Amino acid sequence: MARRTLETLVFDNTYARLPQAFYAKLNPTPFASLPYLVHANPAAAELIDLDLEQFERSEFAELFGGKVLAPGMDPLAMLYSGHQFGVYVPQLGDGRAILLGEAMNHRGERWDLHLKGAGMTPFSRDGDGRAVLRSTIREYLCCAAMQGLRIPTTQALCLVGSDDKVYREQVETGAMLVRMAPSHVRFGTFEVFYYRKQYEHLKTLANYVIEQHFRHLHDADEKYAQFFNEVVERTAKLIAQWQAVGWAHGVMNTDNMSILGLTLDYGPYGFMDDYDADFICNHSDHNGRYAFNQQPYIGLWNLSCLAQALLPLAEKEALKASLDAYTPQFEREYLKRMRDKIGLVEEKTEDDELIRDFLSLLQGSRADYTIVFRALSTFSSVEGVPNEKLRDHFLDRDRFEEWAIRYRDRLKSEDSHDGERRGRMDRVNPKYVLRNYLAQTAIEKAQNKDFSEIDRLFRLLQDSFTEQPGMERYALPPPNWGKHLTVSCSS
Ligand code: AMP
Ligand code: MG
């Protein structure tokens, strides 16, 4: 297959051919200072057939720093609205991102190249249209981490830095990130046309999304209801994956919910260190609306906003039936993953309780979520073996002992073999996750133009399940300074 250069990328901009009401066409606003490449992602480049040697060219940073356009790009800012913290905001839209175009690969797939931090758009409201280096590093690394964890996500092609000042709580420098996804349509893209009573546009959007991304529904009866049903399924599955890995999104507004069930829009997210079901990673989320244990319910709440927006197109009863199926679906998906995490193969009704009680043990000890699940694979089911090292993670050792007896019996009931189970468990319980403090270390170095830690984490997290030589310290609990770093919406 021929690899493409920046000049020979192939674009086919389907979104730009939708009615004008869907977007505002405009070019990115480049930085005043010279843009430079901070990091680029070979796997993402391959998705658009881009030759990796293109990373070395100064034109690469110019293109993805918004200074020039490639032939065939047709840049636009997408319109959407959404419910933010439960309140409907009639117009949001790409306030600081620009869809440069849809790059086609040799398989005929289209990938949105969405430039985040590309300057003001008609949807910027009070914002400056910019993104800061700190937040783009967090997004860039977390995309790689999610990819490594096999959790559906948007991808990040590259990160471009600048010396331009951007004002947040402090003075920071501006950066741009190229986000890639088959589509950036959100729940809020449907909501905007529903609340404006522009039902023709609503239908055009639904038909477009089905044609592009749910083509198997083209001739289906009640295709809009079926489309919604699939969004419900994808969302339930996505959130089950977040819960299983101990990750909180932080701002699950309906404008940050992907219609494809991808993790979208990385802001004040967090992987849990110590297990706390009420974990709130977003410092600005005072009421804990988006706390870790609220995410499954918020998924449902957001889906009901989407259902509402689809009322002009689909039968209410059908939409409601899909919504009703969400919670059982989520629970099934979640339980399946948690069973895998504790190494069970067969399904038994008591598993739910066994898992809950293990989480309650973790909660009582504020034990490290990632480390303890990883350590559980060392559990010996041999009678009389005390599993001391594992027990040491818990404050209440007696409670652990009680649990361990039940776990041992449960493993015996399916003739579980310790060695074989360990291998299986290590393939689902990550050794490395992107702890906030690790991202913070990379950010601080990058602010002094040392990008080596970004590169190290990027490589490490692509393979989160395999022990990597020399990387032991990345699997340790956070140091004290790194335990309760505050991350807010400011990005
Ligand atoms: P977010 O919280 O990143 O999902 O953003 C919510 C809305 O605010 C979206 O419409 C964003 O485009 C917009 N937004 C966030 N930050 C900025 C900014 N610095 N400048 C302009 N718009 C922004
Ligand atoms: Mg957003």
Side-chain angles (χ1 to χ4, degrees):
M1 184 208 43
R3 293 279 173 204
R4 300 195 176 278
T5 64
L6 299 173
E7 291 76 15
T8 60
L9 283 173
V10 180
F11 288 93
D12 180 29
N13 307 311
T14 58
Y15 210 82
R17 296 198 287 272
L18 288 170
Q20 277 180 17
F22 284 56
Y23 48 73
K25 291 204 176 182
L26 83 168
N27 290 346
T29 311
F31 296 119
S33 63
L34 202 65
Y36 50 85
L37 184 64
V38 173
H39 206 272
N41 178 349
E46 275 170 15
L47 292 175
I48 53 170
D49 299 344
L50 184 65
D51 192 312
L52 305 185
E53 284 175 12
Q54 298 294 305
F55 295 169
E56 312 302 328
R57 296 175 56 193
S58 59
E59 287 88 348
F60 187 84
E62 284 176 5
L63 180 63
F64 296 122
K67 252 185 120 155
V68 292
L69 294 176
M73 285 178 170
D74 191 359
L76 58 88
M78 297 167 82
L79 169 75
Y80 53 83
S81 65
H83 283 80
Q84 295 190 312
F85 287 89
V87 179
Y88 186 66
V89 182
Q91 189 186 291
L92 293 164
D94 287 336
R96 56 161 166 177
I98 288 182
L99 174 60
L100 296 173
E102 297 160 44
M104 287 254 277
N105 69 16
H106 65 284
R107 289 188 293 272
E109 297 165 349
R110 282 183 190 74
W111 286 91
D112 281 7
L113 300 186
H114 207 237
L115 187 62
K116 201 166 170 178
M120 300 239 269
T121 77
F123 311 121
S124 295
R125 299 175 297 149
D126 300 329
D128 59 5
R130 292 301 184 200
V132 296
L133 183 63
R134 168 178 53 85
S135 69
T136 47
I137 292 173
R138 282 176 53 83
E139 171 145 6
Y140 188 79
L141 288 177
C142 204
C143 285
M146 291 307 224
Q147 194 72 13
L149 293 166
R150 301 186 288 267
I151 298 179
T153 179
T154 60
Q155 321 240 351
L157 173 64
C158 63
L159 213 173
V160 170
S162 81
D163 294 332
D164 279 29
K165 289 194 171 76
V166 172
Y167 298 90
R168 296 292 181 262
E169 279 105 347
Q170 298 149 10
V171 183
E172 303 192 40
T173 56
M176 294 190 201
L177 173 124
V178 179
R179 183 163 62 186
M180 285 179 33
S183 170
H184 279 78
V185 171
R186 305 128 193 276
F187 291 9
T189 321
F190 286 86
E191 288 179 281
V192 73
F193 295 130
Y194 170 75
Y195 284 97
R196 289 182 178 181
K197 298 195 168 55
Q198 294 175 329
Y199 300 148
E200 269 312 305
H201 287 334
L202 184 71
K203 191 167 180 178
T204 303
L205 176 66
N207 286 337
Y208 168 81
V209 169
I210 290 170
E211 265 334 284
Q212 294 293 326
H213 308 289
F214 297 80
R215 196 163 300 158
H216 55 285
L217 297 179
H218 177 80
D219 294 319
D221 293 338
E222 300 185 38
K223 68 175 173 179
Y224 304 113
Q226 288 214 42
F227 155 65
F228 178 68
N229 195 55
E230 290 200 18
V231 179
V232 171
E233 282 174 10
R234 289 185 191 209
T235 306
K237 200 166 164 181
L238 176 71
I239 298 177
Q241 285 174 278
W242 291 354
Q243 299 307 111
V245 81
W247 188 82
H249 181 286
V251 209
M252 286 176 70
N253 293 334
T254 56
D255 51 300
N256 290 338
M257 296 293 291
S258 150
I259 205 74
L260 301 181
L262 306 171
T263 310
L264 170 69
D265 227 341
Y266 293 86
Y269 66 80
F271 281 93
M272 269 197 268
D273 296 310
D274 299 348
Y275 181 71
D276 176 14
D278 299 320
F279 171 59
I280 302 169
C281 56
N282 179 355
H283 190 60
S284 325
D285 182 10
H286 305 294
N287 298 318
R289 178 179 174 87
Y290 299 136
F292 175 72
N293 60 0
Q294 291 299 305
Q295 297 190 120
Y297 163 71
I298 292 292
L300 178 61
W301 196 92
N302 289 344
L303 283 163
S304 43
C305 291
L306 178 61
Q308 169 98 26
L310 292 174
L311 280 174
L313 303 179
E315 290 296 328
K316 187 174 175 179
E317 284 314 308
L319 296 170
K320 198 173 164 305
S322 297
L323 281 178
D324 288 343
Y326 169 86
T327 302
Q329 243 165 51
F330 166 78
E331 280 169 2
R332 226 178 9 257
E333 291 289 341
Y334 176 69
L335 195 56
K336 186 165 90 192
R337 288 184 166 73
M338 296 309 282
R339 248 193 210 105
D340 288 347
K341 280 175 83 72
I342 67 168
L344 300 176
V345 177
E346 293 171 10
E347 293 179 19
K348 300 207 170 166
T349 38
E350 74 249 35
D351 298 346
D352 191 16
E353 209 182 325
L354 189 70
I355 291 161
R356 266 177 225 269
D357 290 345
F358 188 63
L359 291 176
S360 150
L361 265 174
L362 286 175
Q363 175 94 32
S365 302
R366 287 286 200 276
D368 190 278
Y369 188 78
T370 305
I371 292 177
V372 177
F373 270 102
R374 182 77 180 190
L376 189 61
S377 73
T378 63
F379 185 86
S380 166
S381 62
V382 178
E383 210 92 36
V385 174
N387 288 299
E388 275 163 347
K389 269 182 97 172
L390 188 60
R391 192 180 59 188
D392 282 346
H393 287 287
F394 301 95
L395 289 174
D396 188 341
R397 286 181 293 175
D398 294 341
R399 258 186 83 201
F400 172 76
E401 298 281 6
E402 284 164 27
W403 185 85
I405 291 169
R406 286 163 59 205
Y407 184 43
R408 177 172 299 143
D409 289 347
R410 176 64 184 82
L411 292 173
K412 289 237 162 90
S413 77
E414 60 177 51
D415 292 324
S416 190
H417 178 273
D418 285 359
E420 183 274 336
R421 185 180 67 252
R422 179 168 192 181
R424 248 189 304 116
M425 288 172 75
D426 286 351
R427 286 191 290 278
V428 294
N429 291 303
K431 172 93 181 168
Y432 313 101
V433 293
L434 182 62
R435 297 176 187 276
N436 264 343
Y437 95 92
L438 290 174
Q440 188 58 29
T441 311
I443 289 165
E444 284 170 17
K445 285 197 172 164
Q447 282 163 341
N448 293 316
K449 297 243 166 83
D450 172 357
F451 307 131
S452 59
E453 194 63 15
I454 297 179
D455 188 57
R456 196 166 301 120
L457 286 172
F458 180 82
R459 288 166 196 275
L460 176 77
L461 295 167
Q462 280 179 328
D463 191 5
S464 355
F465 298 100
T466 313
E467 271 185 48
Q468 299 178 36
M471 303 304 268
E472 193 49 40
R473 75 183 175 87
Y474 290 90
L476 296 176
N480 260 340
W481 67 262
K483 268 193 175 161
H484 303 286
L485 297 172
T486 54
V487 272
S488 69
C489 276
S490 146
S491 58

